[in-house]
Amino acid sequence: MNGEPPNTGGRATDLVERAVPWLLLALAAALRLPRLDLRPLHHDEGTNVIFLLRFLREGAYHYDPSNYHGPLLYFLSVAPILLFGTSTTMLRAAPALLGTLMAALAWGLRREIGRAGAVAAGILLATSPCLVYYSRDNIHEIYLVFLTLLLVVGLVRGLGSPRLGWFVMAGAAAGGLLATKETACLTFLALGAGLAGSRRGGLPAPRRAALIACVVAAGAVAVILYSDFFTDMGGLRRPIEALRLWGQRGLRGDGHAKPWWYFLGILRREEPAILLAAVAGAAVALKHRDRFAGFLALWAAAMVALYS
């Protein structure tokens, strides 16, 4: 867990380094891509299809702050349909591909959590029953999870690199989060809590230029998507209105109220391997005072607490 140095081994080790992310991708793809049309669309997907087909017909998507969440899903989902035609498989192609790519992102944190830890994380991401299920449904959740992990990998790699490209990627991911779902604010709060509680996870302080690049990229992505590529500048006001509306709904419950232990119950029942690994990892982090592992533990705990 203590920041493994870059690989300095021989050719065989180098081949393994190159092969691991591809093997993780293959494992995730095998569980996500086949027979995407096996199940009929459920209610939320059907609602998204209405707006997606309207987007295809009219060539524009106008974000409604009172419902249906952000525009990113529609902009990404339209590409496979334009290329290969309208079908259930093509409707679900974008989330299935994002869910597949997510498994390989864990390898980007191998210096911080070790190669074995990165492989284990990648396997858990690839085989998670919940992540596989939501990768095969075109609703907003898998977009949110993928972009969150992309944001973390971009920031971590950027803090150890002189290049600004990592921060641009992280900023684009943050902008995508803002344009995906209103609960992105909870993601940012949880990440902030994890970084603050672990003293930045033991990572170096970011350079001013890197922070500017990150913020500019985030703002550019969010503005482009909410304004429908600058054709509807009034759309930039709607996310602010959405925070008020969805904040009130979240506090009231509005038919979605759950007991505080609801998500922990789901993790215990559906994701016992991930839950046990998380508890064990947090214990090891505390024992060894590993600041990056402490960041991961605090981030996870903050997310569970905020949603609960």
Side-chain angles (χ1 to χ4, degrees), residues 16-85:
V16 171
E17 289 266 328
R18 293 176 182 273
V20 166
W22 292 104
L23 292 172
L24 292 172
L25 283 173
L27 176 60
L31 295 172
R32 288 161 171 79
L33 300 183
R35 302 187 67 187
L36 282 171
D37 59 351
L38 181 64
R39 290 180 294 107
L41 304 180
H42 66 60
H43 177 272
D44 288 352
E45 282 187 294
T47 300
N48 287 339
V49 166
I50 293 172
F51 289 94
L52 182 57
L53 294 179
R54 184 183 298 170
F55 179 24
L56 283 167
R57 288 194 303 267
E58 300 175 359
Y61 175 78
H62 300 291
Y63 169 64
D64 179 355
S66 66
N67 230 325
Y68 314 122
H69 307 306
L72 180 68
L73 178 148
Y74 305 100
F75 282 101
L76 292 184
S77 297
V78 76
I81 293 175
L82 287 173
L83 291 172
F84 303 105

Side-chain angles (χ1 to χ4, degrees), residues 157-168 207 210:
R157 293 277 61 83
L159 289 170
S161 170
R163 291 179 292 182
L164 295 179
W166 289 109
F167 278 92
V168 172
R207 293 165 292 141

Side-chain angles (χ1 to χ4, degrees), residues 8 47 49 129 150 158 205 250 260 270:
T8 56
T47 300
V49 166
L150 185 66
W260 68 266
E270 306 292 346

Side-chain angles (χ1 to χ4, degrees), residues 24 27 32 119-129 131 271 273-274 277-278:
L24 292 172
L27 176 60
R32 288 161 171 79
V119 170
I123 291 173
L124 289 171
L125 288 168
T127 60
S128 156
L131 291 178
E271 303 285 1
I274 288 179

